[in-house]
Amino acid sequence: MKSFVTFAVATLLAMSMLLADEYVPRKGFVTLQFDDGYRLHHTHIAPILEAHGMKASFGVITDSSEMGVENEPWRMVELYEAGHEIQDHTMHHNYLWATHVDTVPDSVYEWIPYTFADPPTWHSLTSASLAILRDLGISTIGWNQPGGTSGTGALPGHPTWEWRGLVNFDLYNVINSRFCYMLGAGVSPWTAHVNTHGNNFPKRFPLFNVPHWNIEKMSFDEIKTSIADAVTAGIWYVAATHAKDLAEVAKIESLVEWLDTNNVEVLRCVDGWQRIYYGKPNPLENQFPQARMLHDIDGNGKPDGFLGDCVWDTTCSTPVDTCYSIKMVGQTEFYCYGPELGENAFSIWLKLLSRDISQVQIIAVEIGFDWDILEEIWTMVTIDTNWCYIDSSVSRNFIIAVDPDVDRIRFAIRPAEGDTLLACMPELMHIPNEAGLRSSDNRTLGLTLSRNILNVGEAIAVRCARPVALFDVRGRRLSRACCQGDWQSIKTSNLAPGIYFVATVDEPHLVSKVVLYR
């Protein structure tokens, strides 16, 4: 049994999604980030946060800001002593920190290999800014990149320019030697360190870079939808703003109340960095966002995490009692962030509403750490007016191979023109590949189940040329061995909902997964 136990534990870590009460949705979190050190952050923002028991991160210009050492640094100290994070946002928020991009007429950025300061100057400026914080009794491990500054005439041959952060390894080394993370655009505004699950920290970057969303230019509804979709998908959402006027403060107050009402976790930037850098993802999570489609906290009419021509449906019956469905009238998209490395099989329940039978296209696009498309695969499936379970681990026609360069997978369900369909319970299941243990296409291996998705209490009908039994995900046998030959039944009345395995009791093992619902 040793090899089977090894297989079962590996399978638990790689693919198990416990259902019903044990179901674990993937979940991200939010950081509220306030930049530049305005007095309003202390007088207005801090009391709002305190009223809701939240802590935030403040990137303070250490010298010349309203809370800087030249003005009222005691405000910065009070924020720090109240448990908020203070980040080094440089002394004067100037552009000495940057390589630059030229703003060309068609708004396409052209990288210009030009900087305003050499490494010794960068070392001196960083040391001076940190000394200000140290003298105030403030310690920090976060460097907040000053950004957005434009200028004219400074770059030879380029009358206008805008700089976009760190693309210089000398500067990276300066920051990396003093800080644990950098908040800002970094190498790319989409570097994927916001992904809370999987292989999400590319070793090619010498410094942990935290991108952010600038919520100042977004409406409140846009902010809610952006956060709801990101957190549901398992994303770290850094909501950055300057909050330098009362109108912006009012929007932040509404946002904080909404986050609190919907139990969205809010962490300081330093805590988010620690969770991703040192934490381990929950092995029982479904790889998809909100597979059960249970909530729409932003109230936009779609289950959180789902985009496109779709609406949330809470009235139609589903094949799983503890989930809702989504009604699709056109292409609908959703993401898997941090997919398991190796081969993964896709499954979903689909039901046609518009006619008796039709075909649906399922698309998967693998995306790298800088939003570059690595590979696209697709398949066509036939569905009808009954709930149809589509499982590529059986058909083998839609197997997704994930390598370390893949950060996320964009899935799309595309109905035929004019069709309307329901969908629920998308899953991405890791396919184990260990010697002597097979879980794919069991009919050709001599192990056959009449069905592998049942309700608790229904018997599992199995046929095999060798004795088989039922096991849990830890490899513990739960039933007597069934005799080989004709169809045999395995009872499930005393089992909880979840994932189990029918397997041969002797080696080499033949294995088939069984999913029990309530």
Side-chain angles (χ1 to χ4, degrees):
M1 286 299 298
K2 181 178 180 181
S3 61
F4 183 80
V5 172
T6 301
F7 163 71
V9 172
T11 303
L12 170 66
L13 295 176
M15 66 177 280
S16 292
M17 181 199 71
L18 297 186
L19 304 174
D21 295 339
E22 293 82 10
Y23 171 71
V24 181
R26 183 166 289 189
K27 199 171 185 180
F29 53 91
V30 170
T31 291
L32 298 175
Q33 173 71 40
F34 302 95
D35 280 356
D36 290 0
Y38 290 99
R39 186 178 293 107
L40 283 176
H41 298 173
H42 177 257
T43 59
H44 289 67
I45 297 296
I48 293 171
L49 296 171
E50 182 179 359
H52 293 271
M54 296 181 186
K55 304 299 180 184
S57 295
F58 295 84
V60 178
I61 302 169
T62 57
D63 191 330
S64 56
S65 70
E66 292 177 359
M67 290 197 294
V69 71
E70 290 184 355
N71 295 297
E72 297 176 308
W74 62 271
R75 297 186 184 275
M76 177 182 10
V77 173
E78 284 198 357
L79 288 175
Y80 179 76
E81 291 177 344
H84 300 289
E85 178 189 16
I86 302 297
Q87 300 155 336
D88 185 350
H89 200 28
T90 75
M91 293 176 63
H92 302 291
H93 204 274
N94 58 33
Y95 50 77
L96 294 180
W97 294 102
T99 55
H100 301 79
V101 291
D102 182 39
T103 306
V104 293
D106 60 359
S107 299
V108 176
Y109 292 117
E110 175 192 355
W111 288 105
I112 305 300
Y114 186 93
T115 58
F116 285 99
D118 55 19
T121 302
W122 291 331
H123 276 285
S124 176
L125 290 170
T126 306
S127 297
S129 189
L130 281 174
I132 290 173
L133 295 176
R134 184 174 58 250
D135 290 345
L136 292 172
I138 296 173
S139 62
T140 186
I141 60 172
W143 190 76
N144 188 338
Q145 169 208 327
T149 302
S150 299
T152 59
L155 295 176
H158 299 278
T160 63
W161 52 266
E162 181 177 356
W163 61 270
R164 288 279 169 163
L166 308 182
V167 293
N168 182 296
F169 280 95
D170 289 333
L171 180 49
Y172 259 126
N173 291 334
V174 171
I175 304 303
N176 197 32
S177 65
R178 292 169 168 80
F179 302 92
C180 293
Y181 74 86
M182 182 196 77
L183 179 74
V187 174
S188 163
W190 291 110
T191 44
H193 297 156
V194 291
N195 179 357
T196 63
H197 185 95
N199 305 275
N200 59 326
F201 183 55
K203 300 302 182 184
R204 68 178 183 270
F205 299 134
L207 179 65
F208 194 94
N209 171 224
V210 183
H212 62 274
W213 283 260
N214 184 351
I215 63 172
E216 288 180 12
K217 301 177 181 179
M218 301 167 63
S219 69
F220 185 47
D221 285 341
E222 289 172 334
I223 296 170
K224 290 192 296 183
T225 295
S226 183
I227 290 177
D229 289 343
V231 170
T232 298
I235 296 300
W236 176 13
Y237 190 102
V238 180
T241 179
H242 291 90
K244 57 185 177 182
D245 57 50
L246 293 179
E248 191 66 21
V249 169
K251 185 164 70 172
I252 294 300
E253 183 171 21
S254 297
L255 175 59
V256 168
E257 291 175 352
W258 178 78
L259 292 170
D260 194 8
T261 299
N262 290 283
N263 298 313
V264 177
E265 187 175 19
V266 177
L267 299 178
R268 302 176 306 171
C269 202
V270 60
D271 302 320
W273 165 76
Q274 288 177 335
R275 176 174 295 186
I276 291 181
Y277 195 72
Y278 294 109
K280 299 296 182 182
N282 188 330
L284 301 183
E285 289 177 332
N286 187 356
Q287 293 192 68
F288 276 127
Q290 208 205 156
R292 290 179 174 270
M293 305 177 186
L294 295 177
H295 54 77
D296 172 26
I297 65 172
D298 60 323
N300 71 343
K302 307 176 193 292
D304 298 326
F306 292 84
L307 316 170
D309 296 327
C310 60
V311 293
W312 193 29
D313 192 302
T314 61
T315 60
C316 292
S317 61
T318 62
V320 183
D321 291 339
T322 53
C323 79
Y324 293 127
S325 61
I326 188 170
K327 183 179 293 183
M328 303 179 183
V329 296
Q331 180 164 309
T332 298
E333 298 181 353
F334 45 96
Y335 284 82
C336 170
Y337 288 83
E340 299 284 355
L341 297 180
E343 289 191 341
N344 288 266
F346 174 78
S347 65
I348 192 170
W349 289 90
L350 298 174
K351 178 181 181 179
L352 192 62
L353 296 179
S354 52
R355 48 179 164 164
D356 292 339
I357 191 168
S358 187
Q359 285 196 313
V360 178
Q361 186 179 27
I362 302 175
I363 305 165
V365 180
E366 293 184 342
I367 299 173
F369 289 95
D370 296 317
W371 279 92
D372 49 325
I373 294 178
L374 303 178
E375 186 174 355
E376 178 175 337
I377 65 171
W378 60 273
T379 188
M380 301 294 296
V381 298
T382 300
I383 64 171
D384 55 30
T385 56
N386 298 307
W387 278 107
C388 304
Y389 184 63
I390 310 301
D391 183 358
S392 70
S393 68
V394 176
S395 64
R396 303 293 294 182
N397 64 345
F398 194 67
I399 300 299
I400 303 163
V402 177
D403 64 36
D405 291 329
V406 177
D407 174 64
R408 64 203 77 181
I409 304 174
R410 181 175 67 237
F411 285 85
I413 308 296
R414 183 179 295 168
E417 186 174 355
D419 279 353
T420 300
L421 57 87
L422 293 175
C424 70
M425 287 301 295
E427 291 186 74
L428 192 61
M429 299 173 289
H430 186 254
I431 301 175
N433 182 23
E434 297 195 14
L437 297 167
R438 301 286 298 278
S439 62
S440 62
D441 198 5
N442 293 296
R443 293 181 185 276
T444 64
L445 297 175
L447 173 59
T448 304
L449 302 185
S450 60
R451 288 188 300 154
N452 64 352
I453 300 177
L454 307 94
N455 292 316
V456 170
E458 294 181 318
I460 303 169
V462 56
R463 183 171 63 185
C464 186
R466 295 156 52 193
V468 297
L470 185 67
F471 298 84
D472 65 13
V473 292
R474 296 181 180 177
R476 298 174 296 191
R477 185 191 292 189
L478 303 177
S479 72
R480 295 180 179 178
C482 293
C483 297
Q484 63 267 36
D486 291 334
W487 289 98
Q488 304 288 327
S489 294
I490 300 177
K491 295 181 179 180
T492 66
S493 55
N494 61 339
L495 299 177
I499 289 178
Y500 299 88
F501 299 98
V502 173
T504 53
V505 296
D506 56 348
E507 298 184 8
H509 295 292
L510 306 181
V511 183
S512 185
K513 185 183 73 170
V514 175
V515 180
L516 294 183
Y517 293 101
R518 283 201 185 281

